[in-house]
Amino acid sequence: MRASHPGGNALRAGHAPRPKPRDREHREQAALFGWVELAKARHPGLGLLFAIPNGGDRHPAVAAKLGAEGVRAGVPDLCLPVPRGGFHGLWIELKAPQGPGARPGALEPGQLDWLDALNAHGYKAVARWGWEAARNTLIDYLEGKP
């Protein structure tokens, strides 16, 4: 028998609720930055990798304030401002991969627009599903691989 908790997600008997996509993306990004801390000695450029905190649920007043400060919907999650291979830098939109009982994160139209615009302006801008895929992209980029 299924029951609902106040958030509306159905609970399966004996199972915890599935993580929200945003929670899954948080875990993926945190895992990536854990790896970055270990890999900076081999790839010093990783020390410049930073996250753009433009996702998540916010109180409308906070969202309005951030919008006035220039926060824009759809901007990729990660930026590595290190030129390589003819690119000005690397931008990554990190999505949660497909997991047990969970679909992979989907790109929003605004995210696709930003990726296209950044690529058109000389950056390498990509979407990656899972921290391992993002890690591989970072290594390939820093090592000058296509």
Side-chain angles (χ1 to χ4, degrees):
M1 174 176 229
R2 293 182 148 197
S4 291
H5 69 71
N9 292 336
L11 296 175
R12 295 173 294 156
H15 297 282
R18 290 185 183 124
K20 295 177 186 172
R22 193 76 200 142
D23 294 340
R24 291 174 48 226
E25 289 180 7
H26 162 77
R27 287 198 305 268
E28 294 294 323
Q29 193 163 311
L32 179 66
F33 274 91
W35 168 79
V36 164
E37 287 303 310
L38 300 173
K40 283 192 300 190
R42 181 166 182 196
H43 300 285
L46 288 172
L48 293 175
L49 182 69
F50 64 93
I52 290 80
N54 60 342
D57 296 324
R58 294 190 172 95
H59 187 277
V62 173
K65 183 177 179 182
L66 291 174
E69 292 174 2
V71 172
R72 299 290 178 252
V75 173
D77 297 312
L78 307 169
C79 180
L80 182 67
V82 174
R84 287 286 191 282
F87 295 106
H88 304 309
L90 173 66
W91 291 80
I92 299 175
E93 175 61 36
L94 182 59
K95 293 295 187 183
Q98 185 164 349
R103 289 182 288 231
L107 288 172
E108 300 291 330
Q111 293 171 327
L112 291 168
D113 292 343
W114 271 97
L115 294 174
D116 289 345
L118 289 164
N119 281 310
H121 281 57
Y123 293 91
K124 182 171 185 173
V126 298
R128 293 295 180 257
W129 281 261
W131 80 269
E132 295 97 340
R135 175 199 61 205
N136 294 341
T137 296
L138 286 162
I139 292 170
D140 288 350
Y141 179 82
L142 288 170
E143 293 180 352
K145 297 176 185 172

